[in-house]
Amino acid sequence: MSVVSSIQSDVDLSSYNTFGLAAKAKYFAELKHAEDIAELITWACTKKLSWMVIGGGSNLLLLEDFSGLVIVNQIRGIQVAENDECYIIKAAAGEDWHQFVQWTIEQGMPGLENLALIPGTVGASPVQNIGAYGIELADVCSEVEFYSLQTNSMQILSNKQCEFAYRHSIFKAQLKDQVIISKVTFKLSKSWAAKREYGGLKLLAEDVSAQAVFDEVCKMRISKLPDPKHLGNAGSFFKNPLVSQEHLSSLLSRYPEMPNYQADKGQAKLAAGWLIDKLGLKGFSIGGAAVHQDQALVLVNKANAQAEDFLALCRHIRQQVWQTFDVLLEPEVRFIKDTGEIEPNAVLGKPNEAE
Ligand SMILES: Cc1cc2nc3c(=O)[nH]c(=O)nc-3n(C[C@H](O)[C@H](O)[C@H](O)COP(=O)(O)OP(=O)(O)OC[C@H]3O[C@@H](n4cnc5c(N)ncnc54)[C@H](O)[C@@H]3O)c2cc1C
């Protein structure tokens, strides 16, 4: 059966986004084979429809119904090769990220344990260069394979060509809306050493096993972050902001306890959650959208929230943070309108100095 004949109409996306927002897809297809990508894209282009690929929907804010074709990536499969130095693992884009990480640990191939329990799919992991507990996808990914709309063929980019940066990659820039990622290749070194520099991992023994790191990461994440199955959310709503050293010095003179980290290009990174918490916004809500009671960086769907509630809450937080700290918070979550992604500032507007 051709994949086009399986396209459905007017599909409710509430179970395909972790905020649980009730937007609809005009057209909807499940993608199970990379060979079907071209057919789906051709179908959408012929009908002059926009299209969007989603994995687990754990980084999306659906602002309204989608008027084109939503493609849910469900391509599965894992292949392993090895040489003297490393394991080379090719994972299909539709594999569940956490289950994949767990599988590598069970197979005795450590290296991904710090990235345990991040929701979503393997295929989305390079898009925003997922990261947690001192590791980023960029540290372990060697290649990304995708269907390119520019060439109408499968292409491969090396790690360097992916232009990974903090929550960023070429897939959010020049190649935005131009690719469907089908496979990610990981290189995991056989001379593994635990990465224990971050947070609670510092307390682990030097000779800790990868399984123990994995267990600890899972324990910490479960205790800190709400489970989207029970309370709709998309993890960190905002990126940690980068500021100049001068700006940091001025902030530290007013808030000596403010957490900060050195970042690239001489900049400093602030903790967005700390800024929001400092303003007493934990638990603050607008409509059904709320700042989580314990995690200021996480916005949750407390009670049948509408996209407008999240926008209003997001604006309020940005305004408060801007007025107090002179810092502009940028959403990490992707904002999706009827024909595709939009720049958050286009709907949020800039915070107002005078307010
Ligand atoms: C509770 C919770 C905790 C989280 N913790 C973290 C964390 O610690 N670190 C972190 O980095 N993120 C975190 N996130 C965010 C999220 O899990 C990641 O961004 C994840 O990679 C999104 O995967 P997904 O499959 O759900 O992508 P989706 O939300 O479905 O899509 C995200 C973007 O990627 C694009 N995309 C998805 N699949 C493909 C593909 N195959 N080809 C091309 N483009 C594609 C989509 O079009 C969209 O623009 C968290 C989210 C939640 C809900």
Side-chain angles (χ1 to χ4, degrees):
M1 191 173 74
S2 114
V3 65
V4 163
S5 60
S6 68
I7 292 174
Q8 303 164 53
S9 307
D10 296 321
V11 172
D12 175 19
L13 295 175
S14 46
S15 60
Y16 292 93
N17 74 96
T18 59
F19 272 125
L21 289 169
K24 274 189 180 168
K26 181 68 190 151
Y27 300 103
F28 176 95
E30 289 173 349
L31 173 68
K32 296 193 190 303
H33 309 283
E35 304 78 57
D36 291 337
I37 298 175
E39 203 179 328
L40 284 175
I41 296 298
T42 307
W43 182 85
C45 291
T46 311
K47 289 186 162 313
K48 298 201 170 25
L49 292 170
S50 48
W51 57 273
M52 168 174 81
V53 58
I54 63 174
S58 62
N59 205 26
L60 306 177
L61 184 67
L62 301 177
L63 299 174
E64 53 198 8
D65 291 346
F66 192 75
S67 60
L69 173 66
V70 169
I71 301 170
V72 178
N73 195 320
Q74 297 181 343
I75 309 171
R76 308 298 295 263
I78 302 174
Q79 297 157 327
V80 183
E82 64 182 291
N83 57 33
D84 289 347
E85 284 98 47
C86 57
Y87 296 103
I88 301 153
I89 310 168
K90 289 183 184 291
E95 289 288 338
D96 176 87
W97 175 261
H98 174 68
Q99 284 171 15
F100 169 63
V101 172
Q102 189 168 22
W103 181 86
T104 57
I105 303 297
E106 284 163 7
Q107 301 305 307
M109 299 182 288
L112 300 179
E113 54 285 343
N114 295 43
L115 300 175
L117 225 53
I118 297 181
T121 52
V122 165
S125 63
V127 176
Q128 74 149 3
N129 182 23
I130 58 168
Y133 293 98
I135 293 200
E136 288 182 333
L137 196 275
D139 302 325
V140 285
C141 165
S142 66
E143 280 176 3
V144 177
E145 190 172 325
F146 55 88
Y147 180 86
S148 161
L149 266 84
Q150 292 167 343
T151 60
N152 289 323
S153 63
M154 298 306 287
Q155 308 260 300
I156 293 178
L157 287 188
S158 67
N159 177 304
K160 193 161 183 285
Q161 290 170 317
C162 289
E163 297 177 11
F164 290 123
Y166 169 62
R167 299 295 176 272
H168 192 75
S169 74
I170 195 167
F171 306 109
K172 286 177 83 172
Q174 296 99 298
L175 294 185
K176 184 166 168 289
D177 299 332
Q178 296 300 317
V179 306
I180 296 186
I181 295 169
S182 57
K183 205 181 275 179
V184 182
T185 305
F186 299 84
K187 242 183 206 173
L188 303 181
S189 171
K190 288 187 177 174
S191 49
W192 172 84
K195 292 251 180 344
R196 302 175 296 124
E197 297 83 27
Y198 196 94
L201 297 182
K202 285 185 192 144
L203 302 174
L204 296 175
E206 209 171 307
D207 61 349
V208 66
S209 67
Q211 181 66 54
V213 175
F214 174 90
D215 292 342
E216 188 60 26
V217 168
C218 291
K219 199 171 98 189
M220 288 190 287
R221 291 185 68 102
I222 289 169
S223 72
K224 280 188 189 165
L225 289 167
D227 181 348
K229 287 194 193 91
H230 303 122
L231 187 60
N233 76 90
S236 304
F237 195 90
F238 298 101
K239 292 184 208 170
N240 287 323
L242 295 167
V243 296
S244 67
Q245 294 298 334
E246 295 73 45
H247 194 161
L248 175 66
S249 304
S250 138
L251 288 168
L252 286 175
S253 66
R254 285 190 287 150
Y255 307 98
E257 74 285 18
M258 179 181 277
N260 63 89
Y261 313 88
Q262 284 315 305
D264 293 343
K265 298 179 187 151
Q267 291 186 299
K269 192 189 282 182
L270 307 178
W274 188 90
L275 303 176
I276 299 168
D277 190 15
K278 187 77 185 165
L279 296 167
L281 289 171
K282 272 185 187 159
F284 179 82
S285 63
I286 295 183
V291 180
H292 189 254
Q293 286 290 352
D294 306 320
Q295 273 300 329
L297 196 48
V298 178
L299 305 190
V300 298
N301 183 347
K302 201 172 78 168
N304 296 321
Q306 308 295 307
E308 270 307 325
D309 300 339
F310 280 106
L311 289 179
L313 182 59
C314 182
R315 280 189 200 107
H316 180 78
I317 294 168
R318 288 193 355 146
Q319 180 66 39
Q320 300 297 310
V321 169
W322 177 255
Q323 269 175 231
T324 311
F325 304 108
D326 202 13
V327 166
L328 180 63
L329 290 183
E330 296 287 359
E332 177 177 318
V333 169
R334 319 281 296 259
F335 284 34
I336 313 292
K337 282 196 69 151
D338 60 338
T339 56
E341 185 175 1
I342 51 154
E343 195 33 54
N345 289 329
V347 274
L348 294 172
K350 293 266 176 184
N352 182 352
E353 302 265 3
E355 212 174 284

